[in-house]
Amino acid sequence: MLLALKDVNTYYGQIHILQGVSLDVAEGELVCLLGGNASGKSTTLKTILGLVAPRSGSVVFDGEDVTRASTSRRIERGMAIVPENRRLFSPMTVTENLEMGAYRRSGDLRAAFERVYDLFPLLADRRSQLAGTMSGGEQQMVAVGRALMSEPRLLLMDEPSMGLAPILVERSFEIIQAVHEAGVAVLVVEQNANMALSVADRGYVLQTGRIALTDRADALRENDDLRKAYLGR
Amino acid sequence: MTKIGTDEWVAQVGERTEAYRGLTAPVRRTWDGIPLGWRFAAAMLLVALLPVATDSSYVVRVGVNAFLFGLLALGLNVVVGYAGLLDLGYIAFYGFGAYTYALLSSDQIGVHLPAELTLIVVVALTAGLGYVLGLPSRRLLGDYLAIVTLFFGQVFVQLAIHLDRLSLPWADGPVNVTGGPNGIVGIDPIRLVGVTFSSVTDYFYLLLVAFVALAVGLHRLTASRTGRAWRALREDPLAAEQMGLPVNRLKLLAFAVGGAVAGFAGAVFAAVQVGVFPQNFETLLLIMIYAAVILGGAGSLPGVAIGAAVIAVFPEVLRTPDYARLIFYGVVLGGLVALLRPWSRLAAVLAGTVVLGFVVRFATAAAWPDAAAVAPGGLVARALGAWVATPPNATTVGNVAFVLLVPAVLAVTRLRGPARTWALPTVLYLAAFVWETRLVAEPSVTRQLVLGAILVVMMTARPQGLLGTPRVEML
C-alpha cells in the first residue's frame, strides 16, 4: 500500500472530527472520498498531509510511519496537494507558481517543467502570465501542474469541481484521469459523487467522521443508499 | 489535448495591450524601454552630484538622512513587502545597531574596536536578534505579530533609557551601559581600510555606496528562488505551507535580513551623529519608515527608495514658508487639473476662486483695517497678500476657519455634479485662508498634516503605493 490510514482519530479542540477512519490507496490507484458537508473529508486530507495532527491512529506512507512528520517531510516523500479553491499565488506568473510546487526539490527542474508543459501545453504558452488573471479552468491546470512539479507518487485533490462551470468540472476530471494514467496515485475528495465515481477505481463514503461505505466505484454507483444520499435519484 | 499553433490568448496579447495615448506617450514609451539598471544608475549618478552642486552642509545632511531612511525602508520592505510580516519593532534593530556601534567605539566602556570589525559585529548581532525575535513570532499572524513586535520596540527604548544604572552582583555600584537619557556621546568616526570618514559629505558617499550595494543585492535576492518563495508566503501562507515551503525558515530569514540592514544603518547613524540617544528610536521614526514603504509601494524596490526620499526630503522643504507655499498651491492646482473635467469646469472653478478671494479681501478690508500682511516671503507671498484676507487676530480666526474647513472638505467629497463645482471655490479659498493664517507659520504641525493628507490621498487613489503592483484578486 502506498498510503494507509489506520484508525485515525482527529480532534479540533474538543470536537471529535474523524472517528476511527481507516483507508488506503495502492500504488497508481485512483480513489475517491465522498461525503456531504461537514463529513470530515477535508480533515482527512489535512491529516494525511500533516496540517493537523491526529490524536491517535497512524498514517503510513510508502512504508514509513509519517504520523508525526512535518508537511515538508511528507511532500519530500512523494505527496502533493491541489488545495480546495486551488489557492494559486495570484500575482505570480505560471512558471513561478509551478516552481513553488517543486521548492522541496533541489537541482535541475527542467525535466519537471517539461512534464507539466507536456501534460498542459496551454501552460507552456502562458508561462509568463500572472496566475490570478487566468480563467477558472486554466487556474485548475496551474494548480494541478504545481502539485505535479514535485513529481509526487500520491496526488491529493481537495474538491476539484468546486467553483467551476459544469463543462470545466468535466475537464477537471479529464485532468485527474490524465494524471492517473501517468502512473500517479490520486485521492480525490469530492461532493460531486457522480463525477468522481465515473473515473475512480474505488471509493470511500464518509459520514459524520466515519467511513460509512467502501467498495469498487462501479459497485458504489449501483448502491441504493448512496444513490439516495448523494446522486439524487 | 491539442498542441497546435499558438495559444489564442498569447497570440492576442499584443493587440489587447493598451497603448499609451496623448502627448506624453513617446516619453513614457521611451522610459519603459530603458532598463531598470540604467535608470537606477542614472538616478544614483545625479544624487552623487549633490554634494558637488551645493556648498550647504545642511543639504548634504538631508541627503544623509534620506539615505538612512532609504536603507531602513529597503530593510523593512524585505520583512513587510516580501515576506508580509507586520513588524512594528523594526526601529529597535536600528537602535540596537546604533548602540552596539556606540558601545564598541567610544569611551562609554572604553572599547575602540576597528570599524571593519565593529560593522561586522553589528550586522551579525542584529541579524541574530532578528532571528531570535522571529522564533516566538513564527506562529503569530498579522495583528498578533504586530502587537508582539511593537512591544519589542518599546522594550528597546525603555532599556536604552534605564540601563544607565544596572546592578550586577559582582560590581560594586550600578553600571552605566547605555548612558540613560543622556545617551552615549563621543563616538569614533568610521574608519575603513585607512580612510577616515569625518565630514558629512564623506558619510554621504559611504551611504551612497552602501545603498547601491544593498539595492542591487536585494534586487538579485528578489529574483532568486528565496525571493519568490517570500512572495508566495506573503500571498497565501496556507498554500505555501501546503506546497511544502519551509515557512518558518523563510520568516526567520526575512527577520534576520531586515534586522541586519537596520543594524548597519544604525551603526552609520551613530557615527554620523557622533552620539546616540533613546529619543532617536521612538515610534515616530517607525511611522515615517512605514509611510515610506506604503507610499512607494510595498514590495517594489524603486518604489520604496523613492518613498524614502520623499518622506525624508519633504518635511525639510516644508520648513521654509516660501517652498511650503509652492508645494501647497502646486499640489492643490495639480490636483484640480488632474481631477476636474472638462477644461471649462476647471477654468470656472479657478476663476471663481480668484474672484472670490478679491471680493472677500475687499469686503474684509473695512472690518479688518489694521490687518497684518501675510507671513513675509518672496514674490508668491506678495501676490497672495493682495488676495487672501488677513485678520488681525490670525490665530483665533485661523483656528475657527480650520475647524470649518474639515467638514467643508468632507461635504465637497459627498457632493456630485454642479453642486460640487459651485462649492469648490469657497472650499478652496477657505483652505488657502487656513494655510496662510495658521499653517504656513507652523512647519511642525503642517508637516504632519501634509504628510497625513498625502498618505490618505495616496491610499485612496493608489492603494498599492506609487510603484507597487496592484493585487490581483482571485475569484
Side-chain angles (χ1 to χ4, degrees), chain B residues 21-332:
Chain B
R21 266 178 302 211
L23 290 172
T24 56
V27 180
R28 291 168 80 175
R29 263 201 304 274
T30 318
W31 177 252
D32 281 354
I34 305 171
L36 189 65
W38 285 72
R39 287 186 223 168
F40 181 62
M44 286 300 115
L45 272 178
L46 270 181
V47 172
L49 291 176
L50 181 73
V52 185
T54 175
D55 47 5
S56 149
S57 75
Y58 163 71
V59 172
V60 180
R61 195 168 277 279
V62 172
V64 165
N65 210 17
F67 272 130
L68 286 174
F69 266 53
L71 287 179
L72 284 174
L74 286 184
L76 184 62
N77 185 42
V78 172
V79 187
V80 179
Y82 293 166
L85 302 164
L86 193 55
D87 177 8
L88 295 185
Y90 185 68
I91 290 304
F93 296 103
Y94 184 55
F96 190 78
Y99 268 93
T100 308
Y101 181 84
L103 283 173
L104 297 179
S105 324
S106 71
D107 294 331
Q108 181 72 11
I109 52 172
V111 178
H112 294 268
L113 291 182
E116 292 93 341
L117 184 60
T118 320
L119 287 177
I120 291 172
V121 169
V122 165
V123 168
L125 276 182
T126 42
L129 190 67
Y131 190 88
V132 170
L133 174 68
L135 281 178
S137 313
R138 279 173 303 177
R139 291 262 155 221
L140 300 171
L141 293 173
D143 320 358
Y144 302 98
L145 179 68
I147 300 284
V148 170
T149 50
L150 185 63
F151 177 73
F152 175 74
Q154 291 308 306
V155 165
F156 173 79
V157 176
Q158 291 306 317
L159 283 181
I161 294 175
H162 294 295
L163 275 190
D164 56 343
R165 38 177 199 280
L166 177 67
S167 307
L168 292 172
W170 61 87
D172 295 335
V175 180
N176 182 354
V177 184
T178 61
N182 300 325
I184 301 172
V185 290
I187 297 169
D188 303 341
I190 291 180
R191 197 180 149 83
L192 291 175
V193 287
V195 183
T196 309
F197 292 84
S198 47
S199 71
V200 185
T201 311
D202 294 346
Y203 281 106
F204 181 86
Y205 285 113
L206 174 69
L207 282 167
L208 176 78
V209 171
F211 181 80
V212 170
L214 182 68
V216 172
L218 285 180
H219 182 71
R220 305 197 58 152
L221 188 59
T222 321
S224 74
R225 213 165 69 107
T226 307
R228 289 190 290 272
W230 271 335
R231 273 163 62 209
L233 178 63
R234 177 189 66 187
E235 282 320 313
D236 194 337
L238 199 66
E241 199 181 348
Q242 295 190 357
M243 291 306 120
L245 263 61
V247 173
N248 286 337
R249 214 185 317 152
L250 287 167
K251 285 184 180 177
L252 291 176
L253 186 65
F255 270 121
V257 171
V261 172
F264 175 80
V268 181
F269 169 74
V272 177
Q273 198 181 242
V274 205
V276 287
F277 311 98
Q279 67 266 29
N280 292 142
F281 312 105
E282 295 280 1
T283 314
L284 181 65
L285 181 61
L286 178 76
I287 296 173
M288 299 285 264
I289 302 300
Y290 260 95
V293 171
I294 292 169
L295 190 72
S300 154
L301 280 178
V304 166
I306 293 171
V310 169
I311 296 287
V313 173
F314 212 70
E316 299 301 327
V317 176
L318 286 180
R319 271 183 211 278
T320 324
D322 245 12
Y323 291 149
R325 269 202 191 98
L326 281 181
I327 289 183
F328 176 75
Y329 292 107
V331 166
V332 169

Side-chain angles (χ1 to χ4, degrees), chain B residues 334-356:
Chain B
L336 290 177
V337 169
L339 294 178
L340 282 187
R341 293 279 184 280
W343 294 101
S344 55
R345 189 156 164 244
L346 173 68
V349 167
L350 287 181
T353 312
V354 171
V355 170
L356 181 72

